[in-house]
Amino acid sequence: MGSLNETNPSLWVGTSEVTRFHELHGDLSTDVVVVGAGIAGLTTAALLKGDGARVVVVEAGRVAAGVTGYTTAKLTVLHGLVFDDLVEAFGEEGAREYADANVAGMATVADLAVRHGIDCDLERRPAYTYTTDAAMVDKVRAEVSAAQRLRLDATFTTETDLPYPVEAAIRVADQAQFHPRKYCIGLARAIDGAGSAVYEATRALSVDEEDGRCTVETDHGTITAGHVVQATHLPFSDSGGFFARTHPMRSYAISARLDGPVPQGMYLSVGTPSRSVRSARMDGEEVVILGGESHKVGQDPDTRERYAALEGWARREFPIRSIDYRWSAQDFMPVDHVPFVGQVSPASERVLVATGFKKWGMSNGSAAGVMLADRIAGRRNPFADFFDTNRANPRQSLKELVKENANVVKRFVGDRLRTETRSIADLAPGEAAVVVEGTERVAAYRDEAGAVHALSPVCTHMGCTVTWNTAETTWDCPCHGSRFNCDGEVIQGPAVKDLEPREVQA
Ligand code: FES
């Protein structure tokens, strides 16, 4: 779902146009409906239209203004330290499929940008995963060895263009960075027209499949189609239980102008807190994007501290002239570290999903788009089985599954049993909390002007209690990551219904 974040817009949102594709008006019929106009959905739709299919994309917010518009937008196969672990879990063959799929995803971005004449600041850059901790050097060496066995152009180095020394790094040549929103807007323009269409401000509410035909009900009409692709971050119509096979993590980024050279490589550190570095362009000037500070969604007491920590590190390590954008995003981490791409459930052949990109959605999402388009077009895709939603998980991932779902149960039960002690009268301007009002719990926010926004604290997805995100002024669900603005409107699924309003005495 893509609702422009008015509190902390990203560099990508701030340096691209506000799109104005039409809302859907009434019912229609088409070949394929894609729900979600982020990189995975738009890639699928653009490829299918290229195959001659009629495609309709519906987006609850604006094109690429959800997660895709809030990433650091690195296009790389180097996803931290991943290959050594993948080899252990899936063998060399499985790890190679993961790597090759991501290489193919990167190539798809380059191909589609050329095919549709999209100027999206696409630039080739090396990618690095580095450590400043001598104790982690062997782990980096193991990653280099695993990556080389997978035939990646990977080398061990201690040379970077970061302004601080590193103990070790793996470097993979010929990766890329780009402006994800410019790219996605270009794709949306290429899709819209000649029998296909992109609809913004159109929220899908349900998906059904019956007798070889699919129906998508939206808040502006019903669409029937031969196939449906849910590319909504986490599927909202989730008969496959992906909410229990992934967990959401939130992280933060800033962009800054420097009084000094901007690093040209794309970097990610090992360990906690992780640090991400890349360059970008803003108003013709080169700037740096710095990221990190990951945590579970809805489980951080004061997210403003996350921006403060990131900014503090940035000012210590880089000659910062100005910080121009601050933003945060979240993504779903799959239990076995491999995204899910395929049928929403074994019983549903025509409703497809892609989810769990684990913060590497630019390459994983593009690769997923190719897999889904191939599947609908009846082409064999070499990576489809490895990413398949119905795959068996290795034993290690079952432990992860149990751990993450125990966390959800703890939040569901614990938050309901907790005795709230505060009342609305206790809230200062700008403050929010779940409070007691009579016999009822209320999610209350007193805005800077003193007005109180009162809501049910019960998430409309599966009933967990939402928590206040101080930095983004949103109510976030700690169970599966749904988010709502201060008036209760859904800004991020899997929930599709708003929080209920509550009448209170201010
Ligand atoms: Fe699932 Fe809130 S997102 S209960």
Side-chain angles (χ1 to χ4, degrees), residues 234 243 408 412 458-466 476-484 492-495:
L234 191 69
F243 64 84
V408 167
F412 183 87
V458 179
C459 175
T460 55
H461 177 230
M462 293 179 73
C464 287
T465 301
V466 295
D476 297 356
C477 182
C479 289
H480 315 113
S482 291
R483 300 179 63 231
F484 307 84
Q492 193 151 4

Side-chain angles (χ1 to χ4, degrees), residues 360-379:
W360 297 102
M362 300 300 98
S363 57
N364 268 323
S366 301
V370 179
M371 287 181 233
L372 293 170
D374 282 351
R375 186 185 184 111
I376 291 169
R379 281 187 296 265

Side-chain angles (χ1 to χ4, degrees), residues 76-358:
T76 176
V77 68
L78 186 62
H79 300 171
L81 296 183
V82 66
F83 292 119
D84 198 32
D85 290 344
L86 283 175
V87 168
E88 195 176 317
F90 298 98
E92 250 178 60
E93 199 181 325
R96 187 170 293 129
E97 292 207 34
Y98 182 88
D100 289 351
N102 276 275
V103 170
M106 291 162 55
T108 299
V109 173
D111 288 350
L112 287 175
V114 169
R115 192 184 308 170
H116 297 296
I118 304 170
D119 180 3
C120 56
D121 306 339
L122 185 65
E123 300 172 298
R124 290 284 164 190
R125 297 294 166 95
Y128 299 79
T129 302
Y130 71 90
T131 182
T132 55
D133 179 356
M136 293 298 291
V137 171
D138 286 349
K139 191 91 178 117
V140 173
R141 284 194 189 281
E143 186 72 0
V144 174
S145 168
Q148 289 173 340
R149 291 203 305 279
L150 303 179
R151 298 195 280 268
L152 295 174
D153 187 1
T155 48
F156 179 91
T157 185
T158 53
E159 300 288 318
T160 74
D161 65 346
L162 291 168
Y164 45 86
V166 306
E167 292 287 339
I170 171 173
R171 177 186 193 273
V172 176
D174 209 22
Q175 308 297 285
Q177 59 187 26
F178 71 143
H179 190 306
R181 193 150 194 272
K182 286 183 184 172
Y183 172 70
C184 285
I185 291 171
L187 287 185
R189 291 239 157 79
I191 295 160
D192 195 42
S196 292
V198 174
Y199 295 106
E200 292 184 318
T202 301
R203 183 179 296 279
L205 302 172
S206 66
V207 177
D208 286 306
E209 177 184 347
E210 204 176 323
D211 299 332
R213 203 73 191 144
C214 303
T215 307
V216 178
E217 190 195 331
T218 80
D219 54 0
H220 289 88
T222 300
I223 311 171
T224 52
H227 286 89
V228 176
V229 171
Q230 290 193 68
T232 52
H233 202 204
L234 191 69
F236 65 95
S237 178
D238 189 3
S239 51
F242 295 97
F243 64 84
R245 297 153 78 185
T246 61
H247 68 273
M249 295 292 290
R250 198 150 187 87
S251 50
Y252 297 77
I254 57 176
S255 71
R257 285 181 271 213
L258 301 183
D259 284 323
V262 174
Q264 297 299 296
M266 303 188 298
Y267 295 94
L268 183 67
S269 70
V270 176
T272 307
S274 67
R275 296 293 181 231
S276 166
V277 180
R278 64 157 277 192
S279 63
R281 296 231 144 247
M282 186 184 78
D283 303 332
E285 187 177 353
E286 197 161 44
V287 299
V288 69
I289 295 174
L290 305 170
E293 294 296 316
S294 192
H295 66 83
K296 284 189 172 160
V297 175
Q299 301 193 29
D300 190 88
D302 189 353
T303 51
R304 292 170 300 190
E305 296 295 327
R306 300 292 182 162
Y307 282 119
L310 185 58
E311 206 172 307
W313 168 76
R315 291 189 188 283
R316 283 193 301 280
E317 302 290 359
F318 293 83
I320 302 282
R321 189 184 343 140
S322 64
I323 293 177
D324 305 291
Y325 288 93
R326 296 167 174 79
W327 69 94
S328 64
Q330 67 195 45
D331 201 10
F332 287 85
M333 317 302 280
V335 285
D336 61 358
H337 309 290
V338 176
F340 295 102
V341 185
Q343 293 174 215
V344 67
S345 73
S348 186
E349 288 191 3
R350 292 176 170 271
V351 179
L352 308 177
V353 298
T355 190
F357 298 147
K358 57 178 193 168

